[in-house]
Amino acid sequence: VEPSSFAWSGQLLAVGTKTGQVALLPALVHTDTANTTTGPSEKETKEEVAEVKEVSEVCSASEKQAEETKSADAEPSTPLEKRTELFQPAVQMKFQPGSTHRGRRRLLAWNEHGCLKLVIGSKHRLVEVDYYKCRDPSSLREIKADGVEIGALGPGLCALASSRHVAVHWAQSSFEHLVPDGQCVEALAVSRSFVAFFASPQRFLHIFTPAFTRIAELDMPHDIVSMVAFDQMLFCVFQAQPEVEPQLHFALFDLQKNDKICGCLPISPHSTLRWIGFSAEEQPLTLDSGGVLRAMLSTSSKSWIPVAEVGHECKLTQIANLLRFRDSFQCRVNTQFINPC
């Protein structure tokens, strides 16, 4: 141990170290032939050595206690770590309603109209289109889909998009649109009367007819999470920059009435949005990772009502069951009742 200070008391030498210890060392006094002074007696030397040992033990005990206290402060207790894990902020991801994200065969869209399945081969990509409500030769077909990443399905038509290209396919015809330079398609929705897509980083919401005659181009304040269309309605969900939990906002467009409703979108605590859609009565629906299904029953009050709890383990097949019985889906404001799911 490196010494840092010294003190002399005639018979003892006190040595201080950087770690806070003090050692008392007996001094040996040298005499010459003319000096009759002698060194300390054997008894005094034993007492001083005992004193040095006692001081050293006290200092060592104090240093050990200080190190234990420091270690206890540096290492959080297990309950605190568990509480920290429980309150990790949820991360909201973008999604297409009814889509999956993994595998060389994955769903681009799955709803009451049918499904779009992307098949990634070694040399090409194909999209298999299957319309449930139509069983003629055109109800099941394959479309070349080079670069396609997202898709949407409507009654008798579908829309496919890559980052710079959007196409709408009917049974016997198709229409294409090239996205302007500097824009990238992030979300897509299609209905019999319009197709809509969201482009970043400008946050432009483009709305066209299925033949790509422009209806509107809107500048939105937040990033897109998801969007879905039904008849003349377009339901979009956006995300502001989150601080602790996702801060979601919605916009509901009625293209027939040229009307727009905006507001905050409620979700369960520590949850994220998993799916959005419409009821048969054109009521917007949301499902979060907490398993709560909500419906906006009144567009005038912008009120959202929880109408069902399907559990946080809800999978796409369970969402499909909700859609399968959508024609008998009823929401009553007074009883907050869902039937028959």
Side-chain angles (χ1 to χ4, degrees), residues 30-51:
H30 297 278
T31 59
D32 52 21
T33 56
N35 193 353
T36 58
T37 305
T38 61
S41 65
E42 183 178 355
K43 180 178 180 181
E44 291 175 346
T45 302
K46 290 182 178 179
E47 291 176 352
E48 291 166 354
V49 171
E51 184 178 357

Side-chain angles (χ1 to χ4, degrees), residues 9-320:
S9 64
Q11 299 296 331
L12 293 174
L13 176 64
V15 181
T17 66
K18 290 184 177 181
T19 60
Q21 294 180 343
V22 178
L24 300 178
L25 305 177
L28 299 177
V29 180
H30 297 278
T31 59
D32 52 21
T33 56
N35 193 353
T36 58
T37 305
T38 61
S41 65
E42 183 178 355
K43 180 178 180 181
E44 291 175 346
T45 302
K46 290 182 178 179
E47 291 176 352
E48 291 166 354
V49 171
E51 184 178 357
V52 170
K53 184 177 181 181
E54 182 179 355
V55 173
S56 299
E57 290 176 352
V58 172
C59 293
S60 299
S62 300
E63 183 180 5
K64 183 177 181 181
Q65 183 177 3
E67 291 179 354
E68 291 176 352
T69 303
K70 184 178 180 181
S71 300
D73 293 339
E75 298 178 359
S77 61
T78 302
L80 180 60
E81 291 177 349
K82 289 183 178 180
R83 288 198 300 270
T84 303
E85 292 176 359
L86 287 175
F87 292 100
Q88 289 294 329
V91 179
Q92 178 65 63
M93 305 298 291
K94 301 180 182 67
F95 65 89
Q96 285 290 126
S99 66
T100 56
H101 303 284
R102 297 179 181 178
R104 302 183 67 85
R105 296 175 64 90
R106 59 185 178 89
L107 292 174
L108 298 179
W110 187 12
N111 56 30
E112 71 277 16
H113 303 298
C115 70
L116 295 178
K117 184 183 297 183
L118 176 64
V119 181
I120 303 176
S122 58
K123 296 182 180 180
H124 59 270
R125 290 185 173 203
L126 291 176
V127 172
E128 297 178 356
V129 186
D130 187 5
Y131 294 107
Y132 296 155
K133 296 183 178 181
C134 179
R135 286 305 173 188
D136 57 35
S138 64
S139 64
L140 184 61
R141 55 187 296 209
E142 293 183 348
I143 302 173
K144 291 184 179 180
D146 294 336
V148 168
E149 292 293 339
I150 59 176
L153 190 64
L157 77 166
C158 66
L160 303 175
S162 61
S163 59
R164 292 286 317 283
H165 181 265
V166 181
V168 174
H169 299 272
W170 295 80
Q172 303 297 332
S173 61
S174 62
F175 301 90
E176 299 182 359
H177 176 75
L178 186 63
V179 179
D181 292 339
Q183 298 187 33
C184 178
V185 179
E186 290 194 340
L188 183 67
V190 68
S191 177
R192 189 183 299 274
S193 56
F194 69 91
V195 57
F197 63 89
F198 186 92
S200 65
Q202 293 84 354
R203 296 172 176 166
F204 289 162
L205 177 61
H206 300 271
I207 305 175
F208 293 88
T209 66
F212 288 104
T213 300
R214 184 175 297 278
I215 298 175
E217 181 177 358
L218 306 175
D219 191 358
M220 308 309 294
H222 304 301
D223 294 330
I224 192 70
V225 173
S226 188
M227 58 195 302
V228 64
F230 179 71
D231 198 14
Q232 295 289 335
M233 309 292 289
L234 176 63
F235 178 35
C236 304
V237 177
F238 305 94
Q239 177 176 214
Q241 291 297 328
E243 295 179 0
V244 179
E245 293 186 353
Q247 300 179 12
L248 302 183
H249 303 264
F250 75 90
L252 181 63
F253 300 91
D254 189 332
L255 301 185
Q256 185 175 13
K257 299 179 180 178
N258 196 21
D259 191 17
K260 173 186 175 183
I261 300 172
C262 298
C264 294
L265 186 70
I267 58 174
S268 303
H270 316 300
S271 299
T272 57
L273 190 65
R274 293 189 58 192
W275 175 84
I276 61 174
F278 281 93
S279 72
E281 293 79 17
E282 297 186 355
Q283 297 164 335
L285 303 174
T286 68
L287 178 67
D288 60 36
S289 58
V292 179
L293 181 71
R294 292 178 175 86
M296 188 173 70
L297 302 185
S298 173
T299 56
S300 59
S301 63
K302 307 177 187 178
S303 58
W304 289 87
I305 303 298
V307 293
E309 292 188 14
V310 296
H312 67 278
E313 298 293 339
C314 177
K315 298 180 180 180
L316 189 60
T317 52
Q318 292 171 290
I319 296 176

